Amino acid sequence: MIIKTATFEISNSDYKKCPTHQKIEIAFIGRSNVGKSSLINMLTNHQKLAKISGSPGKTQLINHFLINDTWYLVDLPGYGFAKVSIAMRKKFEEMIRSYILKRKELTMLFVLIDIRHDAQNVDLEFIQWLGESGIPFGLIFTKSDKLSKAKAVQSVDRYKKELLKAWEELPPVFISSSVDKTGHDTILDFIDSLLIG
Ligand code: GDP
């Protein structure tokens, strides 16, 4: 898929106020600093997009971008915030949870994981919850340029082994780098297959 147009549409704190349309939504989520904005920029080839979600006040909202007039890319706020109050965290979690569980248009949720890190409980618990809730999701291991190819593969294999302790089947897994554009075609081809199917 070639992304020709990518336009910011709306930010929301409530899934009920998300835009009404007949298109599919592909969402991206991950802990802050995982490289989500950079990945969205890389995939869409559009430097301004993630800047919009990254602008003050918007990082904690559900951001909708219309892509090629055919599907929505949804930039979700991060989970597992360390630096906010428990009350704020609860509010974010409720917003994310409602969107993920109730948004019918959500067709695929990409969970971003820094390829350099060992499996963290906060990610594993989130993945576990997605699986138990029957949410279609995939994993994207970011910043692969920071490791050698062999080490990157090892790291992903370790993560898969961790997941296989709890699950019989693995979700689709992708490796990305916003620096050398690894994953660009694979991820967009996968999204393309969701649009067709
Ligand atoms: P976000 O908080 O998840 O949106 O993360 P950002 O996209 O803002 O990235 C966080 C930091 O990681 C920034 O300093 C980026 O330059 C860096 N970064 C993001 N993606 C990559 C990548 O693929 N490779 C490398 N080497 N650095 C990256």
Side-chain angles (χ1 to χ4, degrees), residues 21-35:
H21 58 74
Q22 308 296 321
K23 300 175 172 67
I24 68 168
E25 296 188 353
I26 311 285
F28 292 76
I29 197 166
R31 282 187 290 144
S32 85
N33 234 28
V34 71

Side-chain angles (χ1 to χ4, degrees), residues 30-39 112 142-146 176-179:
R31 282 187 290 144
S32 85
N33 234 28
V34 71
K36 180 162 55 82
S37 313
S38 307
L39 176 71
L112 275 53
T142 61
K143 308 191 187 181
S144 67
D145 60 283
K146 296 217 180 204
S176 78
S177 160
S178 308
V179 171

